[in-house]
Amino acid sequence: MKIRKILREKRGEATVLTVALILGLLLLMCAMAEFFRLAVIVQGVRDGLQQSVITVATTNYDETYNGLREGYSGGYVLSGDSWRENLDYDDVLARMGTLLGADMGGDTLTKWQPEGYEYRLSGLEVEILNTPLTPGNTSQNFEADARITIEIPLSFGWSMVPPLQMEIRTRAAYMPKF
């Protein structure tokens, strides 16, 4: 009731309320734009990580083939009279750097832009879960699980707000067709 009365008055008291409303809407739109910017960056990095991990799972085909031929389903090789695990971890971080156009510095990938960095990737962990060495086991696939930490500086809030840090996870599996 009070707001309606203020809005109907002709003395200009609603000007302050209108300016506050416009500034509030502008702030909300800036926050939404920042959210969508972060979502696009994280989605692109997750897609790059997933593609790199899928490559690890498929490059292990030659390791799993020996076992498949003998009736086993994992990445094993016959060494003498016993089977030993044989896995290829590939270089996921270098592959991601190529896919995302990021520069490698040690074990950190950084995507640069004119104002500074767009994001940093660090702490990559790749774990390959080999299937058990049993004939005809189809309950567990050959899987590659990867985790990486992403750091994205926020453009909304300038330097007062710390950068977004989160862990991205993905999993790829290799499953024989027969």
Side-chain angles (χ1 to χ4, degrees):
M1 294 273 198
K2 227 177 189 183
I3 293 176
R4 193 180 284 180
K5 184 179 177 184
I6 290 173
L7 291 175
R8 288 189 179 171
E9 292 214 12
K10 306 286 185 194
R11 295 184 305 195
E13 292 175 1
T15 306
V16 175
L17 185 63
T18 304
V19 169
L21 182 66
I22 290 172
L23 287 176
L25 287 173
L26 212 73
L27 185 66
L28 181 66
M29 286 175 44
C30 288
M32 286 176 49
E34 182 68 11
F35 172 78
F36 288 123
R37 182 184 78 87
L38 295 173
V40 166
I41 291 172
V42 169
Q43 178 68 35
V45 169
R46 188 177 67 215
D47 289 347
L49 178 63
Q50 188 171 25
Q51 188 171 355
S52 298
V53 172
I54 287 171
T55 302
V56 167
T58 56
T59 57
N60 274 289
Y61 167 75
D62 56 341
E63 278 77 20
T64 60
Y65 179 73
N66 291 327
L68 287 172
R69 192 177 60 190
E70 300 297 328
Y72 298 99
S73 58
Y76 299 93
V77 66
L78 186 59
S79 176
D81 60 345
S82 65
W83 291 91
R84 68 175 175 83
E85 201 170 62
N86 185 25
L87 301 173
D88 181 11
Y89 278 82
D90 201 16
D91 191 358
V92 176
L93 199 60
R95 191 174 298 278
M96 280 186 65
T98 303
L99 285 171
L100 299 173
D103 297 329
M104 181 131 41
D107 60 349
T108 303
L109 284 176
T110 306
K111 175 76 175 204
W112 294 100
Q113 60 182 3
E115 304 87 42
Y117 71 98
E118 186 176 354
Y119 58 83
R120 264 192 201 120
L121 304 171
S122 61
L124 176 68
E125 295 178 28
V126 178
E127 181 183 358
I128 295 180
L129 306 169
N130 206 355
T131 57
L133 186 61
T134 55
N137 183 10
T138 58
S139 63
Q140 182 182 351
N141 293 324
F142 181 90
E143 296 178 347
D145 187 21
R147 291 176 214 81
I148 197 163
T149 302
I150 186 170
E151 176 184 309
I152 308 171
L154 302 177
S155 61
F156 182 72
W158 305 276
S159 61
M160 295 182 293
V161 180
L164 168 75
Q165 284 190 336
M166 64 184 289
E167 184 177 80
I168 300 173
R169 295 178 175 210
T170 189
R171 175 174 284 173
Y174 172 77
M175 178 176 33
K177 289 284 188 182
F178 50 92

